[in-house]
């Protein structure tokens, strides 16, 4: 066999050609339908792709897609007309009559000083003397009040020192009292004692009995046994006559 002799296609090649022609016709019909449908609706639509089942397994090249019709542009928006500027208001008319300024009130006259009353020399001297007397009375009252305060302080100090002096005498005497065993309660006996500045006892006298003769006698013996009595720390506190109170169970 020579190399220039063409090779004949197989017997089923005619069927393939018919399938390809049918596929092309279907695509053309579909493209025409889409084209006219887009124009009727006046808006662009998406291209619908249809895959047809080929009769044979060999791929067939699809025809080129028809471009969609152009979308019409929207009409331009109307231009906004500029607003007219407001005209300025005319100035208010001037009044025909000018406003007159109010006249200032005249200054008030300064008050004249009142004449001083005439002073009587006698009345002036009497007034000064009255003031001096009132000042002296006030000073005397203050001095008297101060003196009273000082005297009260001195009396309080003397009373305190005197109580301490008498308490020292009573303590010495109490240390010498032998209380009888039959005494019940806490009866009180009062004695008047006369002494010398040296503390030596001159007389002892029962001023008020305790109600128990034995207790009164025991206290008197204790007083005489305490001779001489203690002296005060300050000489001016010395008292010649002393009133002494005694209780068996107390320290006064």
């Amino acid at each position: 066999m020579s190399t220039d002799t063409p090779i004949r296609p197989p017997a089923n090649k005619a069927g393939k050609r018919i399938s390809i022609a049918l596929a092309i016709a279907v695509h053309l019909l579909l493209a025409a339908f889409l084209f006219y449908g887009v124009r009727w609706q006046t808006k662009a639509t998406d291209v619908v792709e249809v895959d047809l089942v080929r009769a044979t397994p060999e791929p067939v090249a699809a025809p080129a897609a028809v471009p969609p019709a152009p979308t019409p542009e929207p009409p331009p928006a109307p231009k906004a007309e500029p607003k007219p500027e407001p005209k300025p208001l005319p100035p208010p008319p001037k009044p025909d009559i000018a406003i007159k300024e109010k006249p200032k009130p005249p200054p008030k006259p300064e008050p004249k000083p009142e004449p001083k009353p005439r002073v009587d020399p006698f009345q002036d001297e009497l007034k000064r003397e009255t003031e001096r007397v009132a000042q002296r009375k006030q000073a005397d009252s203050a001095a008297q009040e101060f003196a009273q305060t000082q005297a009260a302080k001195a009396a309080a100090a003397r009373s305190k020192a005197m109580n301490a002096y008498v308490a020292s005498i009573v303590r010495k005497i109490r240390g010498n009292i032998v209380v009888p065993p039959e005494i019940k309660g806490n009866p009180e006996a009062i004695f008047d004692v006369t002494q010398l500045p040296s503390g030596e006892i001159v007389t002892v006298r029962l001023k008020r009995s305790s109600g128990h003769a034995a207790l009164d006698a025991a206290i008197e013996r204790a007083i005489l046994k305490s001779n001489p009595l203690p002296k005060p720390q300050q000489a001016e506190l010395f008292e010649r006559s002393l009133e002494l109170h005694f209780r068996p169970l107390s320290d006064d």
Side-chain angles (χ1 to χ4, degrees), residues 112-216:
K112 295 181 180 181
E114 296 181 358
K116 294 182 180 181
R118 191 173 182 181
V119 181
D120 189 356
F122 177 75
Q123 291 182 355
D124 190 20
E125 181 64 24
L126 180 61
K127 183 179 179 181
R128 287 197 295 269
E129 182 64 24
T130 304
E131 291 177 354
R132 285 196 293 268
V133 171
Q135 291 176 359
R136 283 197 299 269
K137 287 183 178 180
Q138 186 177 1
D140 293 343
S141 177
Q144 184 178 2
E145 184 178 356
F146 178 76
Q148 290 176 354
T149 303
Q150 293 299 108
K153 290 182 179 180
R158 177 181 173 82
S159 177
K160 184 177 180 180
M162 189 65 186
N163 291 337
Y165 167 52
V166 173
S168 64
I169 295 175
V170 171
R171 281 196 300 271
K172 184 177 181 180
I173 295 172
R174 184 179 298 283
N176 295 322
I177 296 176
V178 179
V179 180
E182 67 271 11
I183 301 300
K184 296 180 180 180
N186 194 27
E188 182 184 48
I190 301 175
F191 285 84
D192 285 335
V193 178
T194 306
Q195 63 172 344
L196 297 175
S198 59
E200 294 181 4
I201 297 173
V202 178
T203 60
V204 176
R205 183 177 64 87
L206 178 63
K207 184 175 183 179
R208 193 179 69 184
S209 173
S210 63
H212 299 274
L215 178 60
D216 296 340

Side-chain angles (χ1 to χ4, degrees), residues 79-87:
K79 296 181 180 181
E81 297 181 359
K83 295 182 180 180
E85 296 181 359
K87 296 181 180 181

